[in-house]
Amino acid sequence: MAKTILIVDDSTSLRTVVKLALVRAGYDVLEASDGKQGLAQLDKAGKVNLIVSDVNMPVMDGIAFVTQVKQHPRHKFTPVIMLTTE
């Protein structure tokens, strides 16, 4: 069974490039364009093994997103990689 990775970034092109690489490597990939959508994806997803998140996004930025993710018991220990152009 493939591991699942959630990509949270407001750049469609960056999400596409990262998703292509991860899918080719055998991962299942979920996408969200901001932290609020990322939280919604986590709520409806089963187990997410890794989160890749941008820092600067509209609606909810990456720092606020990760803060909320880490407060949730199911995702408290889910690894997060911050990927940003900053």
Side-chain angles (χ1 to χ4, degrees):
M1 183 174 198
K3 293 190 176 187
T4 302
I5 298 175
L6 171 62
I7 304 168
V8 185
D9 198 303
D10 58 323
S11 169
T12 304
S13 59
L14 183 82
R15 284 196 323 266
T16 301
V17 169
V18 173
K19 180 179 181 176
L20 283 172
L22 292 172
V23 167
R24 286 183 183 156
Y27 296 97
D28 290 332
V29 177
L30 302 173
E31 296 180 65
S33 62
D34 60 56
K36 187 175 178 182
Q37 287 184 5
L39 291 173
Q41 285 283 36
L42 287 173
D43 283 343
K44 69 180 181 180
K47 178 159 177 61
V48 172
N49 302 96
L50 175 69
I51 298 168
V52 179
S53 178
D54 189 11
V55 174
N56 294 318
M57 298 178 285
V59 183
M60 178 185 289
D61 68 22
I63 303 301
F65 167 68
V66 171
T67 300
Q68 288 199 25
V69 167
K70 294 302 178 178
Q71 291 174 358
H72 193 289
R74 185 172 60 173
H75 306 297
K76 185 176 184 176
F77 297 109
T78 302
V80 177
I81 296 173
M82 300 304 282
L83 178 65
T84 185
T85 57
E86 294 300 314

